Amino acid sequence: MEKPAILLGSEAVAHGVKLCRPQVISAYPITPQTHIIETLSEMVDSGELKSQYIKVESEMSAIAAVLGSVSAGSRSFTASSSQGLAMMHEILHWYAGARLPLVLVNANRALGGPWNIWSDQSDSFSQRDTGWLQIYCETSQEALDTIIMAYKASEQLMLPIMVMIDGFILSHTMERLMIPTPKMVDDFLPPYKAPYQLDPENPLTFGAGAHPDLFYELKKAYSETMTEALTLIDQCQAEFAQKFNRHYDVIMHCQEGDKDSDTAVICCGAMTGTARVASEMLNENGTSVDLFKLRLLRPFPKTALITALKNKKRVIVLNRACSYGVGGTLSQEIRTALYDLPEHPIVNDVMISLGGKEVFPETIVKIVNDREQLSATEPNWL
Amino acid sequence: MQEIRFHGRGGQGAVIASKILAKALFFEDRYAQAFPTFGAERRGAPVAAFVRADDSFINIRSRVITPDFVVVMAARLIESVPVTGGLKSDGIILINSDLPATEFNFAGDDQPQTKPPFQVITINLNRIALEFGLGTEMMPLINAPVLGALAKVSGLVKPESLVRALPDFIPARLEDNEKALYAAYEKAGN
């Protein structure tokens, strides 16, 4: 039987990680992620988690350390945030190219300057092109569950997965969730068996070079595997739903509007919760909207997105990351995917928050109510 | 849904108090959410912490702006922080002070004679904390007694549930904290 608990988001992450029994954890602190590795260090210290806990001297070492441990066949974990994730950037590319599994949790935080510790998804959106899968979570429960699913998917695909929780908004909020039993997770997630690993008895070359043609072929195969990963992730979420009775999709329809509702709102991460309240307020006042959350950013679930949004006249995208000179990063992803439709909905690119700028339900209600005034081509700043 | 906003100074325990309250509500099988104003952890600086309580999962994640209950852990904060902002007309503001409630006039500047619609309740929590040896004259530790007083005036939660939640958050002098919590519960609102 699962047990109810009330935990901080960061503690929920640590409990999810513990249930997956990583053999190696590399840790370097950064606000607002630090509680994750602190909680894990307490779990290792008390003996409830049998894991080798490596304190490293930088985030680059944190990711490099698990590159080594996973190469040697150990399930591993690390976490970071903001500048820390940026410092890992070089090795994030290498990690994916090495075709090794990993789950990394990133607590979304702004990148300086100016110095800012608050929630902002620019840190992980900046890592879109590293070859990692990316999943954004709305609640602590979703974060805990996603970690369990992510280990399974990562090890089946031999691809690394980054799981996002919004800094502070999720990491520092205490809320109720269910914690699965170790047996439930063990039944779902078998121990990691590396298909190839560092082993003095069976020497192999790791980190070899590839000449142009081979490099091209390997990257083509990588790209195809990423697309195929969509099917495996669906299967993984379906199996999770069957065993744990909590259902997740790559895109989730969080609030249904009326049948003739032609406006959709889409966002990702913890903002979805506040957007749920906003959609209820809107629907009560006669403005019907459909609310969607995007969980999976990479690989991008294009078909699922098109299915979700094809009958809409307007899609309002709420962004917490910006590509300066273009606009909201999530908006670009959604516009690109919708281009394949013969008739595109209007995409309103709304820069609703950066650096922790607070999003109230009323903020979203006002954006939707004033939708006719929104630019359909340029980013809309509040 | 009930919404509670704590105002305190960094180091006074407003954030811990919000977590203890959330855990106590959890023990009563309710859904609770607790979070602080983020980033202002300096000792002495004004901080706020928020708790929401409901019978189903709480989706909203923005800070509490229309609280049912406001708790002011240091009365002088009233001079610099708009503590009654958004307080519901049938709400309660609980102030840690040795002054009677009538000394706190939250009427608008334009209508100095108008009595605010919400209820003002004061209690000297510093004295209760010191009676049980919690903290020092300079910094009494009031997060347990403040919750006892809030439980009494709000009816939100049973003091027994708060006592059950204390050990996870208060590492030392548990028994004195429990006694102070009950003492404040007995005294508040009388």
Side-chain angles (χ1 to χ4, degrees):
Chain A
M1 276 286 281
E2 290 194 306
K3 265 201 186 148
I6 182 162
L7 296 172
L8 294 176
S10 49
E11 293 168 341
V13 164
H15 279 266
V17 171
K18 183 181 98 176
L19 286 165
C20 297
R21 306 183 191 277
Q23 293 147 292
V24 177
I25 296 165
S26 67
Y28 192 78
I30 180 168
T31 301
Q33 170 279 121
T34 307
H35 287 163
I36 298 174
I37 56 159
E38 271 179 5
T39 309
L40 286 168
S41 96
E42 285 162 11
M43 289 169 168
V44 171
D45 184 55
S46 72
E48 61 186 293
L49 171 58
K50 304 255 180 300
S51 185
Q52 194 166 336
Y53 190 94
I54 310 174
K55 289 176 282 180
V56 293
E57 74 287 356
S58 76
E59 287 88 353
M60 191 185 244
S61 299
I63 187 73
V66 290
L67 176 62
S69 61
V70 179
S71 299
S74 303
R75 180 178 291 159
S76 303
F77 177 79
T78 194
S80 197
S81 185
S82 178
Q83 320 283 148
L85 188 70
M87 196 180 187
M88 290 181 175
H89 175 77
E90 179 191 339
I91 308 204
L92 294 180
H93 275 284
W94 188 277
Y95 203 107
R99 290 300 304 265
L100 291 170
L102 185 72
V103 174
L104 178 155
V105 172
N106 180 60
N108 283 115
R109 163 187 158 177
L111 282 150
W115 185 81
N116 178 301
I117 59 169
W118 292 280
S119 195
D120 185 312
Q121 292 167 341
S122 300
D123 55 355
S124 53
F125 270 84
S126 299
Q127 309 300 339
R128 272 182 308 173
D129 300 338
T130 54
W132 285 57
L133 285 81
Q134 287 201 2
I135 306 174
Y136 291 78
C137 302
E138 178 189 349
T139 64
S140 293
Q141 181 78 68
E142 189 174 329
L144 182 147
D145 292 346
T146 299
I147 288 162
I148 298 166
M149 289 184 272
Y151 270 109
K152 179 149 184 158
S154 171
E155 290 167 6
Q156 286 184 347
L157 290 160
M158 295 300 284
L159 295 173
I161 303 185
M162 203 179 283
V163 176
M164 262 54 73
I165 58 167
D166 288 89
F168 293 106
I169 300 169
L170 213 53
S171 66
H172 284 52
T173 294
M174 216 173 143
E175 66 186 22
R176 188 183 169 112
L177 72 161
M178 300 299 286
I179 301 189
T181 62
K183 178 161 189 324
M184 289 168 80
V185 178
D186 289 344
D187 288 348
F188 177 79
L189 177 70
Y192 174 50
K193 267 206 152 103
Y196 41 83
Q197 68 187 70
L198 285 170
D199 178 3
E201 301 300 315
N202 178 28
L204 297 169
T205 301
F206 282 72
H211 280 272
D213 286 347
L214 177 59
F215 188 89
Y216 183 89
E217 286 305 318
L218 287 170
K219 292 299 178 186
K220 180 182 162 204
Y222 194 97
S223 188
E224 286 165 358
T225 309
M226 279 291 262
T227 310
E228 288 160 15
L230 286 164
T231 312
L232 191 129
I233 288 166
D234 283 343
Q235 287 166 1
C236 192
Q237 290 178 143
E239 189 190 340
F240 187 88
Q242 207 177 23
K243 293 209 162 115
F244 295 81
N245 205 22
R246 283 188 293 277
H247 185 85
Y248 298 100
D249 268 321
V250 291
I251 292 175
M252 298 183 74
H253 198 167
C254 300
Q255 195 83 32
E256 280 197 44
D258 296 342
K259 272 209 178 80
D260 53 350
S261 158
D262 58 5
T263 302
V265 173
I266 185 162
C267 56
C268 64
M271 197 201 301
T272 314
T274 301
R276 285 176 196 266
V277 177
S279 338
E280 280 170 20
M281 288 162 72
L282 283 159
N283 284 333
E284 276 167 24
N285 287 302
T287 306
S288 183
V289 292
D290 286 80
L291 173 68
F292 295 92
K293 73 170 167 186
L294 184 81
R295 261 170 54 76
L296 186 70
L297 182 75
R298 282 290 179 276
F300 194 83
K302 190 164 104 173
T303 311
L305 185 93
I306 288 176
T307 308
L309 299 178
K310 65 180 175 208
N311 294 324
K312 299 294 166 206
K313 290 208 168 66
R314 180 189 298 277
V315 178
I316 300 173
V317 189
L318 305 177
N319 290 269
R320 209 169 215 144
C322 185
S323 180
Y324 302 97
V326 184
T329 325
L330 181 59
S331 300
Q332 293 171 52
E333 296 283 337
I334 287 167
R335 271 212 184 99
T336 306
L338 294 177
Y339 185 80
D340 286 355
L341 279 172
E343 276 186 65
H344 320 138
I346 293 169
V347 174
N348 294 127
D349 170 21
V350 180
M351 282 307 314
I352 194 166
S353 173
L354 288 174
K357 182 176 166 62
E358 194 151 16
V359 177
F360 293 100
E362 292 79 7
T363 322
I364 299 170
V365 166
K366 187 171 187 317
I367 290 164
V368 174
N369 280 336
D370 297 348
R371 60 195 179 281
E372 296 295 338
Q373 275 81 55
L374 294 172
S375 169
T377 53
E378 300 302 312
N380 293 274
W381 294 82
L382 302 184
Chain B
M1 179 159 62
Q2 289 107 3
E3 298 183 297
I4 304 97
R5 188 169 68 210
F6 291 86
H7 293 279
R9 292 199 180 279
Q12 235 190 339
V15 177
I16 297 289
S18 72
K19 290 182 179 177
I20 297 168
L21 176 56
K23 184 110 191 194
L25 288 159
F26 167 77
F27 285 140
E28 296 186 3
D29 284 329
R30 300 199 71 200
Y31 283 81
Q33 182 195 59
F35 59 100
T37 44
F38 307 128
E41 290 96 356
R42 291 162 319 218
R43 193 159 280 265
V47 296
F50 311 99
V51 176
R52 290 190 172 100
D54 209 342
D55 297 320
S56 58
F57 187 79
I58 298 159
N59 285 309
I60 186 168
R61 296 201 178 271
S62 48
R63 79 190 127 93
V64 169
I65 46 172
T66 54
D68 299 272
F69 305 102
V70 168
V71 179
V72 182
M73 294 170 72
R76 287 199 60 189
L77 280 172
I78 292 168
E79 295 162 24
S80 56
V81 178
V83 291
T84 58
L87 178 58
K88 291 198 178 110
S89 57
D90 59 349
I92 295 173
I93 178 167
L94 176 73
I95 305 168
N96 172 23
S97 170
D98 56 355
L99 298 172
T102 47
E103 291 295 310
F104 293 90
N105 180 11
F106 292 104
D109 292 340
D110 49 339
Q111 290 170 299
Q113 303 310 318
T114 317
K115 199 174 167 294
F118 47 76
Q119 202 183 341
V120 182
I121 296 175
T122 60
I123 178 168
N124 190 346
L125 296 167
N126 293 0
R127 194 188 324 154
I128 294 172
L130 293 172
E131 267 171 32
F132 293 93
L134 303 172
T136 61
E137 285 279 347
M138 281 293 286
M139 184 60 103
L141 296 174
I142 62 164
N143 46 20
V146 78
L147 290 167
L150 177 66
K152 176 75 164 293
V153 304
S154 68
L156 259 176
V157 67
K158 294 192 194 86
E160 294 78 20
S161 308
L162 290 165
V163 164
R164 197 177 152 202
L166 285 181
D168 282 350
F169 302 96
I170 293 186
R173 313 202 47 173
L174 202 53
E175 207 176 311
D176 291 322
N177 275 286
E178 285 175 15
K179 285 181 186 160
L181 191 150
Y182 279 119
Y185 183 83
E186 292 305 324
K187 196 150 194 245
N190 293 343

